[in-house]
């Protein structure tokens, strides 16, 4: 079976190659995971692969890893950065043990644990901006999931017409700090910048809360440990504060 065709200038996949590509990517990820596991210290009894988006990692998951590894000395952790669209497929394919996400579809064989909500506030690089001024001043549209988009529409009507869009909260924050603008960002992400006078709360903008979910397979190989670690996330009640 030919998977690719080579000519003088480039290499292109055949139809069979295109079909095989997704499987090859999964095989490579599984192989890399296996290589990591065989290189673990002898004292390691458990290894977990955790995936989340950039924003969720920065808001609370790193603190959670510090906490669980302090309590479980024999636990190895891989922290993986994912897009919101790649999390669930990676979990279902067995490439992740735990996925933490904003929107968790209810699927057969999936365990979903609701976690404390994340509070989002509108901030601006300019003090004393009204909502109308903030939305008109280089507002950055961020993909915070379907529920947030619905809540935004309920509060503001039609989506804001803007030239700047991203799915990464950290990118939006850097853009505002470097070139000005406004956006809805997690309270914990912008706390220091507000305290330092670099960003300003838009006082008449409604606060919006987003639930987040920890998800794992119901028949996971390390099921009880995985569930215990997910339950440990519930103690991080400061997520929304």
């Amino acid at each position: 079976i030919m998977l690719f065709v080579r000519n003088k200038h480039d290499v292109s996949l055949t139809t069979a190659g295109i079909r095989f590509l997704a499987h090859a990517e999964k095989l490579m990820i599984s192989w890399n995971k296996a290589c990591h596991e065989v290189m673990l210290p002898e004292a390691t009894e458990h290894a977990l692969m955790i995936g989340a988006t950039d924003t969720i990692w920065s808001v609370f998951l790193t603190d959670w890893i510090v906490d669980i590894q302090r309590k479980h000395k024999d636990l190895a952790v891989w922290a993986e950065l994912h897009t919101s669209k790649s999390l669930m497929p990676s979990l279902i394919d067995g490439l992740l043990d735990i996925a933490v996400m904003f929107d968790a579809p209810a699927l057969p064989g999936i365990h979903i644990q609701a976690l404390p909500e994340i509070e989002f506030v509108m901030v601006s690089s300019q003090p004393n901006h009204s909502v109308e001024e903030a939305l008109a001043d280089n507002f950055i549209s961020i993909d915070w999931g379907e529920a947030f988009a619905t809540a935004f529409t309920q509060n503001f009507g039609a989506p804001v017409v803007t030239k700047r869009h991203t799915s990464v909260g950290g990118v939006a924050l850097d853009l505002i700090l470097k070139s000005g603008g406004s956006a809805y960002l997690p309270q914990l992400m912008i706390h220091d910048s507000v305290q330092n006078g670099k960003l300003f709360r838009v006082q008449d903008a409604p606060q919006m809360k987003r639930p987040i979910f920890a998800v794992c397979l119901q028949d996971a190989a390390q099921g009880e440990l995985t569930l215990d670690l997910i339950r440990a996330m519930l103690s991080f009640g400061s997520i929304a504060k």
Side-chain angles (χ1 to χ4, degrees), residues 30 38-39 58 72 77 80 87 92 98-99 105 111 165 189 236:
S30 297
V38 299
M39 295 174 64
S58 62
H72 299 270
V77 173
E80 294 287 324
L87 278 168
I92 293 173
I98 300 173
H111 172 80
H165 303 262
M189 181 180 285
F236 286 81

Side-chain angles (χ1 to χ4, degrees), residues 121-126 129-142 160 162 164 172 175-176 179-185 199-200 202:
V121 297
M122 186 186 290
V123 292
S124 172
S125 57
Q126 300 297 320
H129 256 179
S130 66
V131 171
E132 292 74 16
E133 290 170 326
L135 293 175
D137 182 22
N138 285 326
F139 183 78
I140 301 176
S141 174
I142 308 173
V160 177
T162 176
R164 302 201 285 185
L175 284 171
I176 295 173
S179 63
S182 59
Y184 262 103
L185 291 167
L199 291 179
F200 305 90
V202 180

